[in-house]
Amino acid sequence: MSDASNSLTDHPGAGRLQHAPADHPPVKRAKIGVLIANLGTPDNYDYWSMRRYLNEFLSDKRVIDYAAWKWQPLLQLIILSKRPFTSGANYKLIWNHDKGESPLMTITKDQTEALRARMQTQYGGEVQVEFCMRYGNPATKKVVRQMVADGCEKILFFPLYPQYAGATSATANDQFFRALMEEKYQPAARTVPAYFDHPQYVEALAQSIERVWPTIEQEPEVLVASYHGMPKRYLLEGDPYHCQCQKSTRLLSERLGWEKGKIHTTFQSVFGSEEWLRPYTVEHVAELAKSGIKRIAVVAPAFAADCIETLEEIEGEIREAFEENGGESFTYIPCLNDDAAHMDALAAIVSENLRGWIE
């Protein structure tokens, strides 16, 4: 079977090995797979869809690392009795009703198509591009199974998180490896490392700001770079996320040529009672307004695609905190999504990580 890819007939799909017996199962022409992964999304915003999604998400030990005996009763009996209603209401506000899916799903599909087109141009039909979600659908296990069935003998797994965190990049990789454990014919595998300092990522981020800046009636006094938060304890236990966020901000500031202090690094989406990375975005923008800052813009460099944390939290709670404390002009700069410069950056990162597999 080791030389199956070289022994197939010229049939473009499933083929028979030239020297195999008549009852040998069909063998797909060998391909390389690229699987991009994002956090996930509920299938809908009703109570049970939200409960299933939140249960999977909040039961992940990489996300909440408390002992199960302590955490699960609280999660199942209290949190999942109430939170699906509030989270569902927030999802409803941003839902793509035309397509019946969340914005994250719509954008991830667009990103997949854009990356697929670039891979087709560069490598022809030798590279297959798919996407999966860590939580919800399409599930990582199901997509890996299909890629193996399609003939992907090598898979490059790409978590779409510029900065590494155990609760994002690592848990996505964990799920990918779990999927591989169930395959009879296990493909060779690689994972893409964090790309927080990749020049093309920084360039795409800078360009997104430079496009919006001239359209704002009065220039913002401060740009707030709001990253997803995490417990401070994780940093002290060795997670590099905080340091990588700080470096992303510094590289962005250097690329824009701005003076020190023009960009503020903050952290959003605090959950639970323990201390998280500070400053908290919602508190920081309120303090900026109280100090006399009237105009700010907010960008979210840790998110590859707009989602509930940007479209609802930043545009809702964080905007309100600024305006209710005296702020006058609040501008949210969208995530990179399927912007051409962003997709060029992702394609470049994929190509770099495919070296040795394909030229």
Side-chain angles (χ1 to χ4, degrees), residues 34 41 58 80 111 148 179 206 223 311:
V34 174
T41 171
L58 296 175
L80 292 180
Q111 291 173 326
V148 171
L223 173 64
L311 299 175

Side-chain angles (χ1 to χ4, degrees), residues 15-237:
R16 289 183 54 181
L17 301 175
Q18 289 180 350
H19 305 292
D23 62 349
H24 194 287
V27 178
K28 292 283 187 178
R29 186 173 297 281
K31 288 183 289 187
I32 294 172
V34 174
L35 179 55
I36 63 174
N38 216 317
L39 181 75
T41 171
D43 295 326
N44 210 320
Y45 50 79
D46 62 277
Y47 174 83
W48 289 109
S49 295
M50 290 302 311
R51 185 179 176 110
R52 284 192 299 272
Y53 173 73
L54 291 171
N55 182 50
E56 185 181 8
F57 175 45
L58 296 175
S59 293
D60 186 349
K61 294 287 287 185
R62 288 277 195 180
V63 176
I64 306 291
D65 64 354
Y66 302 147
W69 67 265
K70 179 180 181 181
W71 172 244
Q72 282 297 322
L74 177 63
L75 175 64
Q76 301 298 329
L77 300 176
I78 299 176
I79 295 173
L80 292 180
S81 296
K82 300 177 180 180
R83 186 156 178 172
F85 290 110
T86 55
S87 294
N90 290 336
Y91 267 98
K92 186 176 181 180
L93 293 173
I94 66 165
W95 201 254
N96 184 340
H97 294 279
D98 291 339
K99 295 189 175 182
E101 60 192 23
S102 73
L104 177 64
M105 179 65 75
T106 303
I107 293 165
T108 304
K109 288 178 178 177
D110 291 342
Q111 291 173 326
T112 303
E113 286 300 321
L115 184 58
R116 191 174 284 152
R118 284 164 171 77
M119 294 297 100
Q120 176 67 31
T121 298
Q122 189 165 354
Y123 302 116
E126 294 185 68
V127 174
Q128 177 175 330
V129 180
E130 306 294 345
F131 79 94
C132 66
M133 298 293 184
R134 170 60 183 89
Y135 314 105
N137 296 305
T140 306
K141 187 182 299 184
K142 183 177 180 180
V143 179
V144 168
R145 173 64 51 84
Q146 185 59 56
M147 293 178 79
V148 171
D150 290 341
C152 293
E153 295 184 358
K154 300 173 182 177
I155 298 179
L156 176 67
F157 186 70
F158 191 175
L160 291 185
Y161 305 109
Q163 298 80 20
Y164 173 95
T168 54
S169 311
T171 189
N173 288 337
D174 290 345
Q175 197 73 348
F176 174 57
F177 296 137
R178 289 189 195 102
L180 294 179
M181 289 171 65
E182 298 191 11
E183 293 305 315
K184 282 285 187 196
Y185 185 7
Q186 190 178 71
R190 291 177 178 174
T191 60
V192 176
Y195 55 99
F196 63 97
D197 57 353
H198 193 282
Q200 284 185 248
Y201 159 71
V202 176
E203 178 64 27
L205 198 58
Q207 287 182 21
S208 73
I209 294 164
E210 289 173 334
R211 280 196 301 272
V212 172
W213 219 249
T215 69
I216 304 172
E217 187 173 348
Q218 286 186 289
E219 181 176 312
E221 298 160 85
V222 170
L223 173 64
V224 176
S226 182
Y227 297 83
H228 199 288
M230 64 184 285
K232 181 179 178 181
R233 172 171 53 88
Y234 291 10
L235 165 65
L236 301 179
E237 291 171 350

